[in-house]
């Protein structure tokens, strides 16, 4: 059958990307010599992907039944506040972590990219639909709104008086809940926003760089909160 008859999916995409000549491109021996290794690598990848899908010991493929069951469970009392993040890829990655930790919501502020957005989906990988999202034009307004509801609001930032994440008492109250404010990749959390927060905490670093990527920070902070709340103790609880 003609390659155009292939059903949409990974095989068709592999053909279109690695094998099909572009318009005006000669399909000669040199073309085949250049494309054959790439196509072989893609076929090997598809084979590994199918093996992983069939392997019941691995959990690297989403389970639709399990996803529906987890979606019905109560969300953890954590809110993620994004203070003018410039990278849609970072925001998408944070949404994926927010889904994995089952936070109650993500709040995008200012010019932070907000769903629906195609760029977010590149790193969120389907998590945008599973995480509730609100948007505030001003981060200060979001912080004040959360504090008015009794939520501890904590800015994650590197300052001289910041509390190390591992010992910050503000993260320990599951009943009251916590909101973690993550700042712009270049300028960090705005100073005026920090002044509105209940505390400023930091992730200790031991290398040359002063801080981690903001999406990495989100992962570390969210899992530390869940560890404090005893959510790691049993896989059954997930």
């Amino acid at each position: 059958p003609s390659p155009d008859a292939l059903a949409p999916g990974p095989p068709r995409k592999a053909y279109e990307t690695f094998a099909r000549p572009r318009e005006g491109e000669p399909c000669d021996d040199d073309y085949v010599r250049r494309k054959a290794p790439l196509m072989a690598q893609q076929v090997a990848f598809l084979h590994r992907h199918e093996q992983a899908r069939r392997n019941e010991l691995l959990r690297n493929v989403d389970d639709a039944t399990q996803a529906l069951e987890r979606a019905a469970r109560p969300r953890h009392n954590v809110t993620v506040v994004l203070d003018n993040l410039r990278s849609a890829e970072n925001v998408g990655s944070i949404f994926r972590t927010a889904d994995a930790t089952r936070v109650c919501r993500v709040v995008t502020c200012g010019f932070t990219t907000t769903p629906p957005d195609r760029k977010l989906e590149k790193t969120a990988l389907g998590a945008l639909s599973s995480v509730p999202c609100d948007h505030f034009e001003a981060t200060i307004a979001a912080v004040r709104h959360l504090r008015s509801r009794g939520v501890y609001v904590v800015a994650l930032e590197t300052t001289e008086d910041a509390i190390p994440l591992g010992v910050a008492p503000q993260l320990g109250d599951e009943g009251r809940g916590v909101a973690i404010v993550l700042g712009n990749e270049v300028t960090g959390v705005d100073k005026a926003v920090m002044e509105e927060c209940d505390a400023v905490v930091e992730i200790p670093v031991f290398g040359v760089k002063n801080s981690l990527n903001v999406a990495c920070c989100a992962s570390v902070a969210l899992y530390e909160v869940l560890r404090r709340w005893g959510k790691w103790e049993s896989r059954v609880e997930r």
Side-chain angles (χ1 to χ4, degrees), residues 80 94 97 156 180 182 203 213-223:
V80 180
I94 291 170
T97 301
L156 194 59
I180 299 175
L182 300 162
I203 298 172
N213 167 271
V214 66
C216 295
C217 288
S219 299
V220 173
L222 289 175
Y223 275 97

Side-chain angles (χ1 to χ4, degrees), residues 128-190:
L128 298 180
S129 61
S130 63
V131 180
C133 179
D134 293 329
H135 181 77
F136 282 76
E137 289 301 319
T139 309
I140 285 181
V143 169
R144 288 173 177 170
H145 172 72
L146 288 163
R147 292 190 69 191
S148 72
R149 297 169 55 194
V151 177
Y152 273 123
V153 181
V154 174
L156 194 59
E157 189 55 86
T158 304
T159 65
E160 290 185 359
D161 56 352
I163 306 167
L165 180 71
V167 298
Q170 291 81 3
L171 304 182
D173 191 340
E174 181 179 4
R176 184 170 175 177
V178 64
I180 299 175
V181 183
L182 300 162
N184 179 274
E185 294 89 337
V186 176
T187 59
V189 178
D190 187 87

Side-chain angles (χ1 to χ4, degrees), residues 67-108:
L68 287 172
E69 189 273 329
R70 287 186 177 175
R73 294 182 183 180
R75 293 184 175 275
H76 297 130
N77 199 8
V78 187
T79 300
V80 180
V81 180
L82 305 181
D83 178 25
N84 289 291
L85 268 64
R86 63 177 183 172
S87 166
E89 286 76 12
N90 279 336
V91 176
S93 182
I94 291 170
F95 266 92
R96 189 171 183 189
T97 301
D99 169 74
T101 51
R102 212 163 67 241
V103 305
C104 59
R105 69 187 57 255
V106 171
V107 178
T108 60

